[in-house]
Amino acid sequence: MDRPGATKERPTLKTIAFMTGLGITTVSRALKDAPDIGAETKERVRMVARQLGYQPNRAGVRLRTGKTNVIALVLGIDEEILGFANQMVVGISEVLAGTPYHIVVTPHVHSKDPMLPVRYILETGSADGVIISRTEPDDARVRLLMEQNMPFATHGRTNMGVQHPFHDFDNEAFAYAAVERLVQRGRRRIALLPPPAKLTYYQHTFDGFMRGLKSFGAEEVPVHINIDASLEQIRATIQDLMSGPDAPDGIISSSGSSGIAANAGIEAAGKRVGRELDLVAKQSTPILNWIRPEIIAVYEDVRQTGRELAKAVIARIDGVDAELLQSVSKPRWE
């Protein structure tokens, strides 16, 4: 019987070896799924490891192998209400569950220097691979990670003339199809709530939007704000726009959160989606139509994005060529 306050010792390979009657080397190789260890032995070792709550000692792993078994996800912690970050983490975790790797989230505020978390990871050697988002056409983080030979994958593309792993959403196809759907509903004066201009996917979104306007005979109504603004700023800007003489009859939002804020601004101006105008917005969880069924929603599968990024960074760690680890997902209209 444990004494009150006694510290419970952490189970080790030696503990598992004692419990199974096997050698430490056999236990270690069984946990690593070595091909020369029988399936029955592997299952017995894994069962005992689970029962004991065994976890490899990361410090020991690093001393023996030079690896941390950590994938660092640099993730924005700014205002976000529709579970984008959570879906990304869940997707990554689903892939890592079958590997020795663990995810460590490195929080980052968009208003701060984006190089800081990447430099920290590199200087401390705290990860074997890195996942970053909010890519820019000429991204200093990508250049530094490549210079330091750190395996990484990006959520979004760059325009640097170099090959690196990425997964992206086809924002050009989204914006083009959004214009088409608005025009099909008789809308002709369309406003775009875009991403920040410094990010690569701004250009993809804008290109699709302008191509759609030209193809379907619509015109742009300028909006002087982007989706990085606070939700209150977006709500107030859309209220002012919808209260003025040049109000659009269609709005395209590049994110679900800004779509909710835009809807609030529309209603504050005494107008309603589906009546005086239509609203198109991206979403990563099926919430927009609960708020306003008339919103035209497109689904971005962020959990799948997490899966693709996790698979890409692990493959890069294993030496797979970067150009084989690039993918783009298509919009899925609800």
Side-chain angles (χ1 to χ4, degrees):
M1 184 174 180
D2 289 342
R3 296 188 311 274
T7 302
K8 186 176 181 181
E9 288 188 9
R10 174 180 179 144
T12 65
L13 293 175
K14 188 175 180 180
T15 314
I16 300 172
F18 175 77
M19 296 291 289
T20 58
L22 299 169
I24 293 175
T25 301
T26 301
V27 168
S28 175
R29 293 183 61 74
L31 289 170
K32 292 176 183 174
D33 201 25
D36 59 327
I37 305 295
E40 185 179 332
T41 300
K42 288 178 186 176
E43 183 52 38
R44 181 154 57 103
V45 168
R46 288 170 184 156
M47 181 181 69
V48 172
R50 283 195 299 270
Q51 290 172 342
L52 293 172
Y54 170 77
Q55 291 290 336
N57 185 301
R58 288 190 195 172
V61 170
R62 186 170 179 179
L63 283 172
R64 291 193 305 274
T65 67
K67 296 187 67 174
T68 63
N69 284 348
V70 168
I71 303 297
L73 170 64
V74 181
L75 194 61
I77 56 172
D78 298 73
E79 192 170 43
E80 190 266 315
I81 63 174
L82 290 187
F84 187 97
N86 178 63
Q87 293 296 313
M88 175 83 75
V89 171
V90 169
I92 293 170
S93 299
E94 287 174 350
V95 171
L96 298 190
T99 76
Y101 294 101
H102 302 265
I103 182 175
V104 172
V105 178
T106 303
H108 176 62
V109 179
H110 297 161
S111 59
K112 300 291 180 67
D113 180 2
M115 292 292 286
L116 290 176
V118 174
R119 285 199 195 100
Y120 174 81
I121 292 164
L122 289 169
E123 288 167 4
T124 59
S126 52
D128 296 330
V130 181
I131 296 172
I132 60 174
S133 60
R134 293 176 61 85
T135 52
E136 301 180 10
D138 185 12
D139 201 304
R141 300 169 301 168
V142 168
R143 186 174 295 106
L144 179 60
L145 289 165
M146 294 188 76
E147 288 171 356
Q148 297 295 317
N149 293 316
M150 169 64 81
F152 69 96
T154 64
H155 180 209
R157 286 165 276 180
T158 61
N159 190 23
M160 301 168 64
V162 297
Q163 296 287 352
H164 64 81
F166 67 78
H167 181 78
D168 203 1
F169 178 76
D170 195 338
N171 287 285
E172 183 171 353
F174 155 67
Y176 181 85
V179 173
E180 180 180 22
R181 278 162 173 74
L182 289 171
V183 171
Q184 286 172 348
R185 287 164 172 75
R187 309 308 185 182
R188 286 289 185 274
R189 293 174 40 76
I190 302 173
L192 172 67
L193 262 173
K198 67 180 180 179
L199 301 183
T200 310
Y201 85 104
Y202 165 82
Q203 196 60 54
H204 299 156
T205 304
F206 185 73
D207 288 349
F209 178 63
M210 297 306 293
R211 190 162 58 85
L213 294 180
K214 184 176 181 181
S215 295
F216 305 114
E219 63 176 294
E220 179 185 11
V221 176
V223 178
H224 304 294
I225 198 168
N226 65 61
I227 61 172
D228 263 10
S230 72
L231 298 182
E232 174 53 35
Q233 288 174 320
I234 293 171
R235 187 206 64 78
T237 297
I238 296 301
Q239 181 181 351
D240 289 346
L241 180 67
M242 295 308 303
S243 300
D246 296 319
D249 58 13
I251 296 177
I252 300 170
S253 172
S254 296
S255 77
S257 298
S258 58
I260 291 173
N263 181 68
I266 290 165
E267 296 188 355
K271 298 182 179 179
R272 185 181 173 98
V273 171
R275 193 173 64 194
E276 290 90 354
L277 78 162
D278 281 297
L279 171 64
V280 181
K282 280 198 294 184
Q283 63 178 359
S284 56
T285 51
I287 290 177
L288 291 177
N289 294 130
W290 297 357
I291 296 168
R292 180 62 60 212
E294 296 83 2
I295 293 174
I296 305 165
V298 63
Y299 182 60
E300 178 179 3
D301 191 341
V302 179
R303 184 179 293 195
Q304 181 61 27
T305 295
R307 294 188 197 104
E308 293 298 327
L309 290 170
K311 288 188 287 187
V313 75
I314 291 172
R316 191 66 183 133
I317 290 170
D318 292 339
V320 177
D321 289 343
E323 55 265 33
L324 301 177
L325 304 172
Q326 300 169 343
S327 56
V328 178
S329 61
K330 295 294 182 182
R332 200 168 84 205
W333 294 91
E334 301 290 271

